[in-house]
Amino acid sequence: MGMWILESKGDEHVPGTTRYFDDPERPQAATAESAGLKCDTSGPVPIILVPQPSDDPNDPLNWPLWKRDIILIILSIVSIFATSLGPILAANTITLSLVFVTKFTKIAELTGYFLLGVGIAGILCVPSARIWGKRHLFLLGTIILIFSSAWGGASRSYKSLLWARIFQGIGTAPFEALVNAAVGDMYFVHERGKRMALTNLAVFGGAFFTPILVGKITHTIGWWWSFYFVTIFVAVCLPMLFFFVPEMAYRRSTHLNTDLASTDDLRPFGKPHEAGHSATNSTEIEPHTVADTTPGEAEKGVAEHGTQLVPNSDHSAGADTPLKTWKQKLSPFSGRKTDDDFFKLFLRPFPLFAHPAIFWACLIQGTMIGWTVFIGIMLAAIFIGPPLFWDEVNTGYAYTGAFLGSVIGFLIAGGLADWSAKFMTRKNGGIYEPEFRIVLVIPQTVFGCTGLYLFGVVCSNPTHYSWVLSVFAFGLQVGGMVIGAVAASLYIVDAHRDIAIEAFTCILIFKNFFSFGLTFSAYDWIITGGVYPTFMWIASIQVVISLLAIPMYVFGKKNRAFFHKHDILKMTHLA
């Protein structure tokens, strides 16, 4: 047992466990036949590249780091505008209630319908991304965001705005479901921490900056311009997405997916490498350091879990493979990534709710996001109504705390994610366990649960406590939410990368339907139970959920080993 993580029974290597750092005096071998593992030697300690890149120059892992970062930044920018549509009506509740002459709760439900659109479309993203990759979904989602946001701004009836919100959710779904999975496609394990924190900041942090501006926009030039500005900015992003974000899904040979290996192939190799072939930098991979496939694999085709490869596909491409042409890179489709049936792939996420690690990730990330939506609805009721009687501008400014909390959460998660993983790996003799990512739940619990308790205390008596404390508490809660989202996302990518898309879809389904339900229940809870008791229950529930990280950490490796041997998808004939 290393670092309090229980070992699985037997000697078989557990997928997800990797030798994170390489000993330069004892190069590691990927297989008994291979020459050795490729490494990142840019730092003081050589780090094994996990997963191993192929020799194909079209492999995203072989792209220069600056190129991969530009792609991720573009996706993050579009994600900011896409997810900003979630709370975009938070400061406009009273205004829209008067414009459409409808109940306060009906306006709050418009956010719920947006989340419903995200949840439904997210389910369809899985089979489409598995079969044809992610690029076409990012492009389609962006186009839908442009026309649906213009539709929302032009809506002059409640029913029209409701349908515009549903389509806005559909356009947002690819960015919520696939951006985190793209980090797993383009980056090695030791590069993912800060990038995953960035994508989660984009997906969650940008959403909290929106209400700050929307209140002022509504008060100055009209509520419809909040949608029109999203239309304009997303339209500007569309050419960047089209020209600079190629397909990042790639068929890679099984023996290169060292983080998914079921046998311990990371054993010492007896002879040192020849000069020029001993190690490489993660952004400039020497060709022929490791063979991409054996002749038998090239003939038969091999794949990671959940995919099927065919002859002459990317899996058999080597260093002599020509780079794709500019026209090929711009194509929304670049061939099938699997031969699996669409309907089978559509059903794949649902059995995974029975997978403890995935259900744990749903709870850790989904409930905190739900409470954030809950607080957003409460802000309108508490600040706009008596006794404070704030207008849209001041209510929008109340989201300053949430935005700053998301940024601070990003900085904490980005600073701790990779550092803690490397520190614990050194303490564990150079063996990396994905469970090391779970330690981020500690700061999530401290910030998030403190924020929930404090918000309940302060908002139960808003005339006694300063409004600053409410804003501060909201910021703490959001900071904890971002940290928890990073922890859950990193753990899924590192421990179960082969089913990462399905896992993120499970999280998306859970958090959006959970939040959708809260939009219908929030006011009833507050009216029936009161602000203070309701938030004491919510905060206590979150504490219990956070404590589930302890058994997940201790038994996580056993869980990985068990579900590798007892594959849920194979048992349900969906593999």
Side-chain angles (χ1 to χ4, degrees):
M1 180 174 71
M3 303 298 290
W4 301 99
I5 298 174
L6 294 179
E7 294 289 341
S8 61
K9 295 181 180 179
D11 298 328
E12 187 180 51
H13 178 75
V14 180
T17 299
T18 60
R19 184 168 291 278
Y20 199 71
F21 294 99
D22 193 9
D23 181 349
E25 300 301 324
R26 292 191 308 113
Q28 306 297 311
T31 66
E33 295 82 16
S34 61
L37 288 176
K38 298 176 182 179
C39 302
D40 178 354
T41 58
S42 59
V45 179
I47 300 177
I48 294 175
L49 298 179
V50 179
Q52 287 282 287
S54 67
D55 291 330
D56 182 4
N58 297 299
D59 186 343
L61 294 178
N62 286 333
W63 295 343
L65 186 59
W66 62 264
K67 178 179 178 179
R68 289 179 278 155
D69 284 343
I70 287 176
I71 293 170
L72 196 67
I73 289 171
I74 294 173
L75 289 175
S76 297
I77 291 173
V78 183
S79 298
I80 290 173
F81 295 123
T83 57
S84 71
L85 290 166
I88 201 168
L89 301 180
N92 289 340
T93 306
I94 292 294
T95 301
L96 293 176
S97 180
L98 296 173
V99 168
F100 295 120
V101 193
T102 189
K103 295 179 180 179
F104 193 74
T105 54
K106 296 290 286 184
I107 302 302
E109 289 172 8
L110 289 172
T111 300
Y113 285 112
F114 169 86
L115 297 171
L116 181 65
V118 176
I120 293 174
I123 300 172
L124 297 174
C125 284
V126 177
S128 189
R130 277 292 194 191
I131 295 174
W132 296 293
K134 302 177 180 65
R135 175 173 163 81
H136 74 283
L137 290 169
F138 289 137
L139 291 172
L140 178 61
T142 304
I143 293 171
I144 293 175
L145 286 172
I146 293 171
F147 88 78
S148 62
S149 297
W151 177 6
S155 296
R156 293 298 177 265
S157 70
Y158 179 84
K159 186 176 181 180
S160 176
L161 183 56
L162 185 152
W163 279 104
R165 294 290 284 162
I166 292 175
F167 275 92
Q168 287 171 352
I170 293 171
T172 300
F175 297 95
E176 283 206 21
L178 301 176
V179 171
N180 282 339
V183 174
D185 289 335
M186 294 192 295
Y187 294 96
F188 303 104
V189 167
H190 71 283
E191 297 174 331
R192 291 174 186 165
K194 294 181 178 64
R195 276 85 179 183
M196 193 69 79
L198 173 64
T199 57
N200 279 279
L201 175 66
V203 171
F204 302 119
F208 300 110
F209 186 68
T210 308
I212 301 174
L213 301 177
V214 167
K216 185 66 174 177
I217 291 171
T218 298
H219 191 75
T220 306
I221 57 178
W223 65 268
W224 50 87
W225 271 102
S226 57
F227 288 116
Y228 287 152
F229 278 127
V230 173
T231 303
I232 294 169
F233 289 130
V234 175
V236 171
C237 291
L238 181 58
M240 293 193 298
L241 194 71
F242 181 76
F243 288 108
F244 300 109
V245 179
E247 180 58 63
M248 66 281 301
Y250 183 81
R251 283 180 158 180
R252 185 171 291 106
S253 298
T254 303
H255 79 283
L256 295 175
N257 290 314
T258 50
D259 53 340
L260 306 180
S262 58
T263 56
D264 195 355
D265 292 327
L266 302 179
R267 56 169 76 79
F269 191 67
K271 298 179 181 180
H273 298 281
E274 296 178 5
H277 289 258
S278 59
T280 63
N281 185 279
S282 64
T283 60
E284 296 181 2
I285 306 298
E286 281 280 358
H288 307 304
T289 307
V290 126
D292 185 34
T293 55
T294 64
E297 288 171 336
E299 182 178 350
K300 291 164 39 179
V302 290
E304 63 183 69
H305 178 77
T307 63
Q308 295 178 359
L309 300 186
V310 294
N312 302 322
S313 186
D314 289 344
H315 76 284
S316 58
D320 57 345
T321 304
L323 278 170
K324 291 182 179 179
T325 64
W326 184 250
K327 183 178 179 180
Q328 288 175 321
K329 291 179 181 179
L330 293 182
S331 174
F333 299 94
S334 56
R336 290 180 67 98
K337 308 303 175 183
T338 178
D339 297 321
D340 284 339
D341 179 69
F342 183 94
F343 184 70
K344 179 187 288 187
L345 292 173
F346 171 80
L347 295 175
R348 280 169 65 93
F350 298 103
L352 293 178
F353 280 107
H355 194 301
I358 294 172
F359 187 65
W360 171 83
C362 289
L363 290 174
I364 287 293
Q365 186 174 136
T367 54
M368 284 296 280
I369 293 172
W371 307 140
T372 304
V373 173
F374 189 91
I375 291 176
I377 295 173
M378 289 300 98
L379 281 178
I382 294 170
F383 289 159
I384 293 179
L388 299 179
F389 293 104
W390 283 15
D391 60 12
E392 297 94 339
V393 178
N394 289 329
T395 304
Y397 290 162
Y399 275 80
T400 303
F403 175 70
L404 293 177
S406 67
V407 174
I408 293 172
F410 158 72
L411 295 174
I412 292 174
L416 287 179
D418 286 337
W419 177 85
S420 60
K422 292 178 181 179
F423 175 80
M424 297 179 75
T425 299
R426 291 191 185 98
K427 292 292 185 180
N428 199 37
I431 302 297
Y432 169 74
E433 304 286 3
E435 285 69 34
F436 295 162
R437 302 295 195 181
I438 297 178
V439 298
L440 287 176
V441 176
I442 296 174
Q444 180 211 21
T445 306
V446 173
F447 286 97
C449 295
T450 300
L452 288 170
Y453 279 119
L454 182 60
F455 190 87
V457 170
V458 173
C459 290
S460 63
N461 193 348
T463 56
H464 181 73
Y465 299 99
S466 169
W467 60 268
V468 175
L469 285 176
S470 301
V471 174
F472 177 70
F474 194 16
L476 285 177
Q477 190 273 334
V478 170
M481 181 203 72
V482 172
I483 296 171
V486 173
S489 300
L490 281 172
Y491 183 66
I492 289 299
V493 168
D494 289 357
H496 303 284
R497 186 171 60 84
D498 54 331
I499 53 172
I501 293 180
E502 288 84 355
F504 285 127
T505 304
C506 289
I507 295 174
L508 183 145
I509 293 170
F510 179 89
K511 71 182 180 66
N512 283 285
F513 281 93
F514 178 69
S515 300
F516 175 68
L518 289 178
T519 61
F520 286 88
S521 307
Y523 289 114
D524 292 337
W525 285 8
I526 295 299
I527 292 172
T528 303
V531 174
Y532 180 82
T534 299
F535 273 91
M536 293 306 103
W537 273 105
I538 287 174
S540 300
I541 290 170
Q542 190 59 45
V543 169
V544 173
I545 291 173
S546 296
L547 290 176
L548 293 176
I550 296 175
M552 194 69 248
Y553 179 88
V554 174
F555 296 100
K557 190 169 185 177
K558 281 182 170 290
N559 179 69
R560 284 186 282 129
F562 179 85
F563 282 97
H564 174 68
K565 295 177 181 177
H566 305 84
D567 193 316
I568 293 179
L569 297 180
K570 288 182 179 179
M571 292 167 61
T572 54
H573 304 288
L574 295 175

